[in-house]
Amino acid sequence: MLLRRQFILTLGLMPVTFGIWYAAGILFSAPAVWLCDFALTGLYPTLIESVRLNGADMVTKLTIGEANGQLIAATEAGNQIALKVNTRVVSYSIAFYAALLIASNLEQSVYKFCIGLFWLWLLMAFGLASILGKDLLLMMGAAFLNATGIASGNLLALTYQFNVLLMPTLAPVCLWAWQLRGSPLWSELSRDIANAAASR
């Protein structure tokens, strides 16, 4: 009964939470972009000059430019390359998580939502960084892979696919399940899983 209520309420709340997320997308994306700016400019100062939020896009200014088809230092090229990443590709996880949590009617739900937001922002920052890494790999090729501290091409491709295809839906469900422990819904879910396993 509680599981059915959870499912119906989550579906009913999703248009509301996604509407709020879309209208205030900048607010929900900003902390993840700030984390990217702090981490990426610190780790790769010779490649990344700054990471900023422009609307719903994370704009990364590189220290390189383009001249005659060649990538060279921006000071020599007379221009500077900037790459855009749409933050909504990963930030919709917040709207999905909010719908799950509100439908559960848990105690201290506001506190739990804040804890969940913190973890989602960390995951979003990692996701945005992996998307940027993919873009840099496509643009620079071997020169990017040979730079200090850059992961292998296969690892970049794997993290990119995970963070775009799985993380925005998987992370909210995992956080919600973790915060569900001890609730009546958790007890019913555990009982149903145990019954299903016993009937095999």
Side-chain angles (χ1 to χ4, degrees):
M1 185 66 181
L2 289 175
L3 285 174
R4 182 182 298 175
R5 175 185 176 276
Q6 172 72 37
F7 180 75
I8 294 172
L9 274 179
T10 299
L11 287 180
L13 286 166
M14 282 176 67
V16 177
T17 58
F18 272 80
I20 295 171
W21 158 79
Y22 189 84
I26 297 174
L27 295 176
F28 289 125
S29 299
V33 175
W34 293 335
L35 285 171
C36 281
D37 182 45
F38 176 77
L40 296 178
T41 56
L43 289 172
Y44 309 109
T46 58
L47 178 62
I48 297 174
E49 180 181 293
S50 66
V51 180
R52 297 288 182 265
L53 191 62
N54 182 19
D57 293 326
M58 182 181 82
V59 179
T60 303
K61 288 187 178 180
L62 306 181
T63 59
I64 57 176
E66 186 272 335
N68 299 321
Q70 299 294 320
L71 297 176
I72 58 177
T75 52
E76 298 177 26
N79 59 69
Q80 188 174 27
I81 294 175
L83 299 176
K84 288 184 179 181
V85 174
N86 186 352
T87 60
R88 288 195 170 108
V89 172
V90 294
S91 69
Y92 74 86
S93 60
I94 293 175
F96 183 37
Y97 170 67
L100 284 169
L101 193 64
I102 295 170
S104 302
N105 195 28
L106 300 177
E107 294 181 0
Q108 298 181 315
S109 58
V110 174
Y111 171 74
K112 289 180 177 179
F113 181 70
C114 292
I115 296 296
L117 265 183
F118 171 78
W119 287 108
L120 285 177
W121 280 329
L122 288 177
L123 292 170
M124 283 169 54
F126 182 69
L128 292 170
S130 70
I131 296 171
L132 177 64
K134 181 267 301 180
D135 291 343
L136 287 168
L137 177 60
L138 292 177
M139 182 182 72
M140 299 177 63
F144 176 65
L145 290 176
N146 293 332
T148 305
I150 302 300
S152 69
N154 289 335
L155 183 59
L156 282 173
L158 183 63
T159 55
Y160 165 75
Q161 290 177 348
F162 173 79
N163 284 298
V164 172
L165 300 176
L166 294 177
M167 187 280 289
T169 51
L170 187 61
V173 172
C174 291
L175 277 170
W176 168 73
W178 173 59
Q179 294 179 327
L180 202 62
R181 293 170 303 161
S183 68
L185 181 57
W186 175 263
S187 300
E188 181 175 319
L189 183 61
S190 301
R191 187 168 56 250
D192 288 349
I193 292 173
N195 290 339
S199 64
R200 287 185 176 181

mmCIF file of all heavy atoms in Angstrom, residues 126-127 130-131 134 137 151-167:
data_model
loop_
_atom_site.group_PDB
_atom_site.id
_atom_site.type_symbol
_atom_site.label_atom_id
_atom_site.label_comp_id
_atom_site.label_asym_id
_atom_site.label_seq_id
_atom_site.Cartn_x
_atom_site.Cartn_y
_atom_site.Cartn_z
ATOM 1 N N PHE A 126 31.324 16.375 -10.449
ATOM 2 C CA PHE A 126 32.103 15.322 -11.093
ATOM 3 C C PHE A 126 31.560 15.039 -12.491
ATOM 4 O O PHE A 126 32.323 14.834 -13.442
ATOM 5 C CB PHE A 126 32.065 14.053 -10.233
ATOM 6 C CG PHE A 126 32.878 12.923 -10.784
ATOM 7 C CD1 PHE A 126 34.263 12.984 -10.817
ATOM 8 C CD2 PHE A 126 32.258 11.791 -11.288
ATOM 9 C CE1 PHE A 126 35.014 11.937 -11.339
ATOM 10 C CE2 PHE A 126 32.992 10.740 -11.805
ATOM 11 C CZ PHE A 126 34.379 10.823 -11.827
ATOM 12 N N GLY A 127 30.231 15.051 -12.627
ATOM 13 C CA GLY A 127 29.615 14.821 -13.926
ATOM 14 C C GLY A 127 29.936 15.913 -14.923
ATOM 15 O O GLY A 127 30.271 15.639 -16.084
ATOM 16 N N SER A 130 33.463 15.559 -16.080
ATOM 17 C CA SER A 130 33.663 14.462 -17.028
ATOM 18 C C SER A 130 33.160 14.842 -18.422
ATOM 19 O O SER A 130 33.756 14.445 -19.430
ATOM 20 C CB SER A 130 32.956 13.194 -16.534
ATOM 21 O OG SER A 130 31.550 13.326 -16.596
ATOM 22 N N ILE A 131 32.082 15.618 -18.492
ATOM 23 C CA ILE A 131 31.585 16.090 -19.793
ATOM 24 C C ILE A 131 32.603 17.040 -20.410
ATOM 25 O O ILE A 131 32.892 16.973 -21.618
ATOM 26 C CB ILE A 131 30.219 16.775 -19.636
ATOM 27 C CG1 ILE A 131 29.171 15.764 -19.150
ATOM 28 C CG2 ILE A 131 29.763 17.389 -20.963
ATOM 29 C CD1 ILE A 131 27.846 16.380 -18.755
ATOM 30 N N LYS A 134 35.481 15.085 -21.806
ATOM 31 C CA LYS A 134 35.155 14.506 -23.109
ATOM 32 C C LYS A 134 35.306 15.545 -24.217
ATOM 33 O O LYS A 134 35.868 15.269 -25.285
ATOM 34 C CB LYS A 134 33.732 13.940 -23.080
ATOM 35 C CG LYS A 134 33.261 13.278 -24.360
ATOM 36 C CD LYS A 134 32.497 14.205 -25.301
ATOM 37 C CE LYS A 134 31.275 14.795 -24.678
ATOM 38 N NZ LYS A 134 30.539 15.699 -25.611
ATOM 39 N N LEU A 137 38.929 16.220 -24.859
ATOM 40 C CA LEU A 137 39.537 15.095 -25.571
ATOM 41 C C LEU A 137 39.219 15.154 -27.062
ATOM 42 O O LEU A 137 40.096 14.944 -27.907
ATOM 43 C CB LEU A 137 39.042 13.780 -24.978
ATOM 44 C CG LEU A 137 39.518 12.496 -25.657
ATOM 45 C CD1 LEU A 137 41.031 12.399 -25.629
ATOM 46 C CD2 LEU A 137 38.886 11.285 -25.001
ATOM 47 N N ALA A 151 43.338 11.398 -17.023
ATOM 48 C CA ALA A 151 43.065 9.960 -17.051
ATOM 49 C C ALA A 151 43.117 9.435 -18.479
ATOM 50 O O ALA A 151 43.182 10.199 -19.447
ATOM 51 C CB ALA A 151 41.688 9.693 -16.442
ATOM 52 N N SER A 152 43.054 8.123 -18.609
ATOM 53 C CA SER A 152 43.088 7.505 -19.939
ATOM 54 C C SER A 152 41.809 7.820 -20.705
ATOM 55 O O SER A 152 40.777 8.160 -20.130
ATOM 56 C CB SER A 152 43.247 5.991 -19.802
ATOM 57 O OG SER A 152 42.062 5.420 -19.262
ATOM 58 N N GLY A 153 41.891 7.690 -22.021
ATOM 59 C CA GLY A 153 40.744 7.959 -22.869
ATOM 60 C C GLY A 153 39.567 7.050 -22.553
ATOM 61 O O GLY A 153 38.414 7.482 -22.557
ATOM 62 N N ASN A 154 39.842 5.769 -22.258
ATOM 63 C CA ASN A 154 38.769 4.825 -21.938
ATOM 64 C C ASN A 154 38.063 5.205 -20.643
ATOM 65 O O ASN A 154 36.839 5.117 -20.548
ATOM 66 C CB ASN A 154 39.329 3.403 -21.818
ATOM 67 C CG ASN A 154 39.748 2.834 -23.164
ATOM 68 O OD1 ASN A 154 39.236 3.248 -24.202
ATOM 69 N ND2 ASN A 154 40.676 1.895 -23.150
ATOM 70 N N LEU A 155 38.832 5.640 -19.649
ATOM 71 C CA LEU A 155 38.235 6.044 -18.381
ATOM 72 C C LEU A 155 37.403 7.310 -18.555
ATOM 73 O O LEU A 155 36.313 7.437 -17.975
ATOM 74 C CB LEU A 155 39.324 6.267 -17.328
ATOM 75 C CG LEU A 155 38.840 6.629 -15.929
ATOM 76 C CD1 LEU A 155 37.920 5.539 -15.380
ATOM 77 C CD2 LEU A 155 40.018 6.851 -14.990
ATOM 78 N N LEU A 156 37.884 8.241 -19.360
ATOM 79 C CA LEU A 156 37.110 9.462 -19.637
ATOM 80 C C LEU A 156 35.788 9.127 -20.319
ATOM 81 O O LEU A 156 34.740 9.682 -19.970
ATOM 82 C CB LEU A 156 37.931 10.407 -20.521
ATOM 83 C CG LEU A 156 39.035 11.218 -19.846
ATOM 84 C CD1 LEU A 156 39.851 11.966 -20.893
ATOM 85 C CD2 LEU A 156 38.460 12.196 -18.835
ATOM 86 N N ALA A 157 35.838 8.214 -21.285
ATOM 87 C CA ALA A 157 34.618 7.821 -21.996
ATOM 88 C C ALA A 157 33.638 7.126 -21.055
ATOM 89 O O ALA A 157 32.427 7.385 -21.103
ATOM 90 C CB ALA A 157 34.970 6.904 -23.166
ATOM 91 N N LEU A 158 34.162 6.276 -20.184
ATOM 92 C CA LEU A 158 33.307 5.543 -19.246
ATOM 93 C C LEU A 158 32.643 6.481 -18.247
ATOM 94 O O LEU A 158 31.435 6.378 -17.992
ATOM 95 C CB LEU A 158 34.137 4.488 -18.515
ATOM 96 C CG LEU A 158 33.379 3.576 -17.553
ATOM 97 C CD1 LEU A 158 32.348 2.745 -18.309
ATOM 98 C CD2 LEU A 158 34.350 2.667 -16.797
ATOM 99 N N THR A 159 33.423 7.401 -17.666
ATOM 100 C CA THR A 159 32.850 8.333 -16.695
ATOM 101 C C THR A 159 31.848 9.272 -17.364
ATOM 102 O O THR A 159 30.823 9.616 -16.770
ATOM 103 C CB THR A 159 33.941 9.152 -15.992
ATOM 104 O OG1 THR A 159 34.750 9.820 -16.978
ATOM 105 C CG2 THR A 159 34.825 8.274 -15.134
ATOM 106 N N TYR A 160 32.124 9.678 -18.595
ATOM 107 C CA TYR A 160 31.188 10.532 -19.325
ATOM 108 C C TYR A 160 29.854 9.814 -19.520
ATOM 109 O O TYR A 160 28.786 10.369 -19.244
ATOM 110 C CB TYR A 160 31.777 10.930 -20.673
ATOM 111 C CG TYR A 160 30.756 11.513 -21.627
ATOM 112 C CD1 TYR A 160 30.273 12.803 -21.448
ATOM 113 C CD2 TYR A 160 30.265 10.762 -22.693
ATOM 114 C CE1 TYR A 160 29.314 13.335 -22.313
ATOM 115 C CE2 TYR A 160 29.316 11.280 -23.560
ATOM 116 C CZ TYR A 160 28.851 12.574 -23.355
ATOM 117 O OH TYR A 160 27.900 13.097 -24.205
ATOM 118 N N GLN A 161 29.906 8.576 -19.988
ATOM 119 C CA GLN A 161 28.674 7.827 -20.234
ATOM 120 C C GLN A 161 27.903 7.586 -18.942
ATOM 121 O O GLN A 161 26.671 7.725 -18.906
ATOM 122 C CB GLN A 161 29.001 6.498 -20.920
ATOM 123 C CG GLN A 161 29.482 6.673 -22.353
ATOM 124 C CD GLN A 161 29.877 5.357 -22.986
ATOM 125 O OE1 GLN A 161 30.007 4.348 -22.303
ATOM 126 N NE2 GLN A 161 30.078 5.363 -24.291
ATOM 127 N N PHE A 162 28.626 7.257 -17.866
ATOM 128 C CA PHE A 162 27.957 7.016 -16.585
ATOM 129 C C PHE A 162 27.283 8.288 -16.078
ATOM 130 O O PHE A 162 26.131 8.259 -15.638
ATOM 131 C CB PHE A 162 28.965 6.518 -15.552
ATOM 132 C CG PHE A 162 28.384 6.418 -14.163
ATOM 133 C CD1 PHE A 162 27.590 5.341 -13.816
ATOM 134 C CD2 PHE A 162 28.626 7.406 -13.225
ATOM 135 C CE1 PHE A 162 27.033 5.254 -12.541
ATOM 136 C CE2 PHE A 162 28.074 7.325 -11.952
ATOM 137 C CZ PHE A 162 27.278 6.247 -11.607
ATOM 138 N N ASN A 163 27.994 9.409 -16.148
ATOM 139 C CA ASN A 163 27.474 10.651 -15.582
ATOM 140 C C ASN A 163 26.345 11.266 -16.399
ATOM 141 O O ASN A 163 25.556 12.045 -15.858
ATOM 142 C CB ASN A 163 28.602 11.660 -15.417
ATOM 143 C CG ASN A 163 29.478 11.344 -14.234
ATOM 144 O OD1 ASN A 163 29.032 11.338 -13.101
ATOM 145 N ND2 ASN A 163 30.746 11.059 -14.481
ATOM 146 N N VAL A 164 26.254 10.938 -17.665
ATOM 147 C CA VAL A 164 25.162 11.460 -18.490
ATOM 148 C C VAL A 164 23.973 10.499 -18.520
ATOM 149 O O VAL A 164 22.818 10.929 -18.416
ATOM 150 C CB VAL A 164 25.655 11.742 -19.925
ATOM 151 C CG1 VAL A 164 24.495 12.085 -20.843
ATOM 152 C CG2 VAL A 164 26.659 12.888 -19.916
ATOM 153 N N LEU A 165 24.247 9.208 -18.617
ATOM 154 C CA LEU A 165 23.175 8.238 -18.802
ATOM 155 C C LEU A 165 22.606 7.675 -17.496
ATOM 156 O O LEU A 165 21.407 7.411 -17.405
ATOM 157 C CB LEU A 165 23.664 7.074 -19.672
ATOM 158 C CG LEU A 165 24.138 7.435 -21.080
ATOM 159 C CD1 LEU A 165 24.673 6.212 -21.788
ATOM 160 C CD2 LEU A 165 23.010 8.067 -21.876
ATOM 161 N N LEU A 166 23.445 7.489 -16.478
ATOM 162 C CA LEU A 166 23.002 6.787 -15.277
ATOM 163 C C LEU A 166 22.921 7.656 -14.025
ATOM 164 O O LEU A 166 21.954 7.587 -13.279
ATOM 165 C CB LEU A 166 23.926 5.592 -15.004
ATOM 166 C CG LEU A 166 23.899 4.467 -16.034
ATOM 167 C CD1 LEU A 166 24.916 3.400 -15.682
ATOM 168 C CD2 LEU A 166 22.515 3.864 -16.128
ATOM 169 N N MET A 167 23.954 8.462 -13.774
ATOM 170 C CA MET A 167 24.032 9.193 -12.509
ATOM 171 C C MET A 167 22.808 10.047 -12.194
ATOM 172 O O MET A 167 22.305 10.014 -11.067
ATOM 173 C CB MET A 167 25.310 10.031 -12.468
ATOM 174 C CG MET A 167 25.584 10.700 -11.117
ATOM 175 S SD MET A 167 24.639 12.213 -10.794
ATOM 176 C CE MET A 167 25.410 13.353 -11.925
#
